[in-house]
Amino acid sequence: MSISVFDVLKERGYIAQCTNEDEVRAMLENEKVTFYIGFDPTADSLHVGHFLGLMVMSHLQKAGHRPVCLVGGGTGTVGDPSGRSDMRKMLTDEDIEYNCNQFKKQMARFIDFSDGKALMVNNGDWLRKLNYIDLLREVGAHFTVNRMLAAECYKNRMEKGLTFLEFNYMIMQSYDFLELHRRYNLKLEMGGDDQWSNIIGGVELTRRITGDAVYGLTFTLLTKSDGQKMGKTAGGALWLDKEKTSPYDFYQYWRNVDDADVERCLALLTFLPMEEVRRLGALEGQEINEAKKILAYEVTKLVHGQEEADKAKAAAEAVFGGSGSSENMPTVELTAEDAAKKLVDVLVAAEVFGSKGEARRLIQQNGLSLNDEKVTDPDYTLSEGNFTDGEAIVKKGKKKFYRLLKV
RNA sequence: GGGUAGGUGCCCGAGUGGUUAAAGGGAACGGACUGUAAAUCCGUCGCCGUAGGCUACGAUGGUUCGAAUCCAUCCCUGCCCA
């Protein structure tokens, strides 16, 4: 083995905190380590934040270690208060089960689960069976409330109110580590940096009860250079589910990241060699657009596959490069009847706009074009002449394109 | 359970009887500038619409010509006390 995975992770900028850097490095160099990352089923799709964790897992798996993907069928019922300023919405059991299944499907694209090379487990399998008194006696005795209250992750909530329900989240997550250690001799828990408190909880609990050496490591959160969370779009998160965020939109998101974030994103979200990452990140001015294209393509390829990435790229080039093909643009299908209605009504019906007011406003602000011509009349009505081969192109703002297609 | 401070638009936050669709900021969106970037500047930012109307300030009911603003009950949250 030439270079240690640990150093790879470090070089690419993944690592935020580690319980003991030297020991973890040594462990990863000398043995096959079983490790885990937990994913709580708070929505019906994974998003880019999760993707970062999957990248880390993938790096480690390629280095011969065994990932355990833990879906939080149990912890999801409680809600992690870490770093949050308000309580999470309570999910029904059905939601949780559904979401867990969605997660599983998506994760299978990034992690190789064949031949036991990785495991998928659900902490609901053990957490839901726990008996309160037994748990208190076995686990509760090892936590001091004083310490828990001092944890960084509760800071926000100490002002706004933290329920006992959520306060217990740390205990549940810690127990997960213990349980996984017992079942699979798992030795390392990883998570986003906001999980640090929860992770050391598990490390300490497992050490105390079993006496075994176990470790924790957090990876950096995906933030922009100005500190804001990355992966936020108008519609909310940047989802990995193509029904929730289309491959085209996904591609465009990365195509448009800030100059300052390109290198970081390439390092964290693609497998390009670091020399290449650094080279691309060093490009300046106009040229850095090349780096962004590569970033967008590579990330989209990882998440949606090569075919979708090619389509997204082609669509983007068609739209911004001026070369014809509109095939891969988001398409609005129109009946003959629709094709003679007011443009505004058609676009609202297609959910291109949230309301007519919004659409009118955009027209008044000169932000809407039909086939490259500004639409100036809010009451503009579609007619035969707008369509070429049954197709018309609508441009919303500067970079959102839609294809109207008569069917 | 008692006391007390609160619950306002996507978020933060002003407003305490009409002039308030509701100050200000942030986010978002459009335009200019550019490199499909950032920063900056200008504009927009509840819904339908020509006017005008409708719906909104935790919930419900009430007082009033008129309420986010007053009263009652209820729900929720912080803090202090038990």
Side-chain angles (χ1 to χ4, degrees), chain A residues 179-250:
Chain A
E179 182 69 25
L180 290 169
H181 177 69
R182 284 173 168 160
R183 290 189 181 204
Y184 307 113
N185 191 31
L186 179 141
K187 291 184 181 171
L188 175 65
E189 173 176 3
M190 299 199 300
D193 202 34
D194 56 339
Q195 292 299 305
W196 182 244
S197 305
N198 292 333
I199 290 173
I200 43 185
V203 167
E204 286 184 9
L205 177 69
T206 308
R207 279 186 183 166
R208 278 186 198 165
I209 290 184
T210 67
D212 298 335
V214 293
Y215 305 93
L217 183 138
T218 58
F219 41 82
T220 190
L221 294 174
L222 196 60
T223 50
K224 296 205 242 186
S225 50
D226 59 9
Q228 288 197 350
K229 257 193 200 164
M230 206 151 191
K232 289 281 164 199
T233 65
L238 194 63
W239 303 106
L240 303 193
D241 181 343
K242 68 177 177 184
E243 300 302 320
K244 291 173 75 89
T245 301
S246 73
Y248 176 79
D249 288 337
F250 189 85

Side-chain angles (χ1 to χ4, degrees), chain A residues 270-321:
Chain A
T270 75
F271 289 105
L272 293 179
M274 278 310 283
E275 309 87 76
E276 182 69 354
V277 168
R278 278 189 284 262
R279 184 185 73 77
L280 292 168
L283 294 174
E284 285 185 20
Q286 172 85 265
E287 300 212 312
I288 201 160
N289 280 322
E290 286 314 307
K292 292 185 190 180
K293 282 181 196 167
I294 291 171
L295 170 67
Y297 182 73
E298 291 296 322
V299 182
T300 308
K301 190 166 81 178
L302 285 171
V303 172
H304 293 297
Q306 175 146 14
E307 194 183 324
E308 292 291 352
D310 284 333
K311 278 198 224 166
K313 188 177 168 211
E317 280 168 1
V319 161
F320 294 102

Side-chain angles (χ1 to χ4, degrees), chain A residues 15-31:
Chain A
I15 296 173
Q17 300 188 74
C18 183
T19 49
N20 185 320
E21 194 166 309
D22 296 336
E23 288 179 29
V24 170
R25 179 189 277 110
M27 178 173 79
L28 290 172
E29 279 168 15
N30 300 323
E31 50 184 297

Side-chain angles (χ1 to χ4, degrees), chain A residues 97-292:
Chain A
E97 203 188 321
Y98 178 78
N99 295 347
C100 282
N101 286 329
Q102 294 298 107
F103 277 26
K104 286 181 189 170
K105 281 188 232 161
Q106 291 181 2
M107 288 188 275
R109 292 210 304 267
F110 307 104
I111 305 296
D112 178 7
F113 288 97
S114 63
D115 307 322
K117 277 184 260 179
L119 301 174
M120 173 98 66
V121 296
N122 184 334
N123 64 16
D125 293 349
W126 56 83
L127 291 177
R128 284 170 176 263
K129 282 186 218 147
L130 289 175
N131 167 292
Y132 190 62
I133 291 180
D134 292 344
L135 179 76
L136 282 180
R137 290 173 61 97
E138 186 191 8
V139 174
H142 295 286
F143 285 85
T144 70
V145 171
N146 321 41
R147 266 194 87 154
M148 288 175 72
L149 287 175
E152 180 72 22
C153 63
Y154 295 135
K155 222 173 177 181
N156 284 328
R157 300 301 289 281
M158 293 312 286
E159 285 154 25
K160 292 211 160 188
L162 174 67
T163 59
F164 188 65
L165 172 79
E166 291 182 282
F167 188 52
N168 277 266
Y169 186 91
M170 182 189 282
I171 297 195
M172 293 171 70
Q173 185 168 330
S174 300
Y175 185 81
D176 282 345
F177 197 165
L178 178 64
E179 182 69 25
L180 290 169
H181 177 69
R182 284 173 168 160
R183 290 189 181 204
Y184 307 113
N185 191 31
L186 179 141
K187 291 184 181 171
L188 175 65
E189 173 176 3
M190 299 199 300
D193 202 34
D194 56 339
Q195 292 299 305
W196 182 244
S197 305
N198 292 333
I199 290 173
I200 43 185
V203 167
E204 286 184 9
L205 177 69
T206 308
R207 279 186 183 166
R208 278 186 198 165
I209 290 184
T210 67
D212 298 335
V214 293
Y215 305 93
L217 183 138
T218 58
F219 41 82
T220 190
L221 294 174
L222 196 60
T223 50
K224 296 205 242 186
S225 50
D226 59 9
Q228 288 197 350
K229 257 193 200 164
M230 206 151 191
K232 289 281 164 199
T233 65
L238 194 63
W239 303 106
L240 303 193
D241 181 343
K242 68 177 177 184
E243 300 302 320
K244 291 173 75 89
T245 301
S246 73
Y248 176 79
D249 288 337
F250 189 85
Y251 178 96
Q252 281 297 313
Y253 182 87
W254 302 108
R255 176 63 188 79
N256 284 305
V257 295
D258 290 7
D259 290 4
D261 297 321
V262 174
E263 186 166 328
R264 252 167 73 70
C265 288
L266 282 165
L268 295 173
L269 303 172
T270 75
F271 289 105
L272 293 179
M274 278 310 283
E275 309 87 76
E276 182 69 354
V277 168
R278 278 189 284 262
R279 184 185 73 77
L280 292 168
L283 294 174
E284 285 185 20
Q286 172 85 265
E287 300 212 312
I288 201 160
N289 280 322
E290 286 314 307
K292 292 185 190 180

